[in-house]
Amino acid sequence: MEIFHSPKELKEYLKDKNTTIGFVPTMGALHDGHISLLKKARSENDILVASIFLNPAQFGKNEDLEKYPRNDERDIKIARICKVDALFMPTADEIYDKNEPLIKAPEKLATILEGKSRPGHFDGVLRVLNKLFNIVKPTKAYFGKKDTQQLAIVENMARTFFMDVEIIPCDIIRESDGLAMSSRNAYLSEEDKLYALKISQSLAKAGAMIKKGELSTNVIKTEMLSILEPLVVDYVAITNRRFEPLDKIELNNTFILVAASVGTTRLIDNIWV
Ligand code: AMP
């Protein structure tokens, strides 16, 4: 595995390689969720590129950029085990220029749910991914369904900018108790984790209700909120695949999305129904 810090050197390494390139962008503090993306990308491409870049542009002023978990040494080991060919670890100075055109995520998708609570977040996500896609020129790029709204916004950018990249959605990896894996889980104490579990439990309950034939989103939401009660809930949303609220569940066309805080840790999770 080669490690690159400068875009120029990574571009040089990738130049004229007449092969398929799989790309997994991350912010580091790698866990089994990231590893599942790396494994899938490894199996589907000749060259595997991963990036570790804690992207300041996607954090709000009062968010957790400063305390976000970092563990470069461990991440490098994991990338090696996952047979990454090129690991890209740039600094913000190497990625951003004060004088650059700024990309704006489409309002309809980016100012609801996560975008409503985190204004400008998706602009920051697209700002870096646009650059990373230009540097890596991946054949396929892998994104977790854990961040379903991000996945949709990235798919939208790739499609509307006519980018030569296929966006591959990957299933959510969970702890054995159901908690969706997240770098932010590192903030949780054992007690916090018991509370955090209520998020995946509320989604599992929603899934079970739907299996039994319940289709009213109001009934399902009420039940979910009662499970989530001890947490500070940001949203419970039941939408179609365009993130428009639904009165009735539409099978194979529904997202159920939750954002809630345990103490100061904000967590998200969702299921596709
Ligand atoms: P992050 O490092 O949080 O930016 O995540 C990098 C990629 O890993 C994103 O595409 C995430 O959606 C994905 N990811 C994070 N957690 C999980 C998970 N538990 N299961 C699957 N993918 C995940």
Side-chain angles (χ1 to χ4, degrees):
M1 182 176 84
E2 292 196 44
I3 299 176
F4 297 91
H5 299 285
S6 97
K8 199 170 160 228
E9 280 164 18
L10 177 58
K11 280 180 76 126
E12 194 58 36
Y13 166 87
L14 293 169
K15 204 172 85 185
D16 300 331
K17 291 235 188 330
N18 234 344
T19 46
T20 55
I21 299 176
F23 179 41
V24 179
T26 81
M27 297 202 299
L30 301 183
H31 51 67
D32 283 356
H34 299 115
I35 290 172
S36 74
L37 271 55
L38 290 167
K39 280 191 177 154
K40 191 167 165 64
R42 178 69 283 173
S43 72
E44 294 180 357
N45 300 275
D46 299 318
I47 293 183
L48 174 55
V49 180
S51 62
I52 294 174
F53 178 59
L54 189 49
N55 174 29
Q58 70 187 69
F59 285 78
K61 274 206 183 78
N62 298 319
E63 292 185 353
D64 57 343
L65 175 63
E66 301 309 325
K67 68 165 190 173
Y68 197 86
R70 288 167 189 248
N71 199 336
D72 285 355
E73 244 172 68
R74 184 171 171 275
D75 288 349
I76 290 168
K77 274 191 198 143
I78 291 174
R80 247 194 209 108
I81 292 167
C82 292
K83 300 197 167 59
V84 169
D85 296 301
L87 182 63
F88 186 40
M89 304 174 77
T91 62
D93 286 345
E94 279 157 318
I95 291 291
Y96 292 126
D97 189 311
K98 279 197 190 86
N99 297 305
E100 64 178 48
L102 291 177
I103 184 166
K104 193 137 187 63
E107 207 173 296
K108 185 162 183 271
L109 275 176
T111 58
I112 55 169
L113 305 169
E114 282 307 282
K116 190 168 178 197
S117 301
R118 308 184 66 189
H121 169 67
F122 290 116
D123 298 341
V125 169
L126 293 190
R127 187 174 173 199
V128 76
L129 286 175
N130 188 27
K131 285 171 181 257
L132 291 173
F133 287 175
N134 275 326
I135 295 164
V136 177
K137 296 196 177 65
T139 318
K140 295 181 178 179
Y142 297 78
F143 290 86
K145 293 180 179 175
K146 163 91 187 340
D147 301 279
T148 284
Q149 200 179 352
Q150 165 175 281
L151 174 63
I153 289 172
V154 174
E155 276 172 344
N156 172 287
M157 175 180 75
R159 181 172 48 80
T160 58
F161 280 17
F162 307 102
M163 291 175 161
D164 289 322
V165 56
E166 191 183 343
I167 305 299
I168 310 290
C170 303
D171 287 340
I172 299 179
I173 303 299
R174 300 176 178 281
E175 305 277 0
S176 55
D177 56 14
L179 179 66
M181 295 216 177
S182 162
S183 302
R184 289 191 169 95
N185 290 354
Y187 302 147
L188 302 173
S189 67
E190 287 308 310
E191 195 192 356
D192 290 341
K193 276 193 184 154
L194 295 177
Y195 285 106
L197 258 185
K198 294 190 180 295
I199 297 174
S200 56
Q201 283 167 351
S202 73
L203 287 163
K205 177 74 186 189
M209 289 171 82
I210 293 164
K211 255 200 186 133
K212 280 197 184 139
E214 180 60 67
L215 295 179
S216 159
T217 58
N218 265 341
V219 172
I220 293 167
K221 245 192 231 176
T222 305
E223 180 64 25
M224 288 178 73
L225 285 168
S226 78
I227 294 171
L228 291 164
E229 170 110 48
L231 311 190
V232 178
V233 176
D234 183 353
Y235 58 78
V236 171
I238 305 185
T239 74
N240 63 20
R241 296 282 202 260
R242 293 189 305 278
F243 298 94
E244 295 156 343
L246 289 175
D247 294 328
K248 287 249 168 313
I249 299 289
E250 294 174 6
L251 294 178
N252 298 315
N253 189 35
T254 298
F255 294 138
I256 307 183
L257 309 121
V258 178
S261 296
V262 178
T264 53
T265 305
R266 187 171 179 283
L267 300 168
I268 59 171
D269 197 354
N270 68 83
I271 54 171
W272 297 25
V273 178

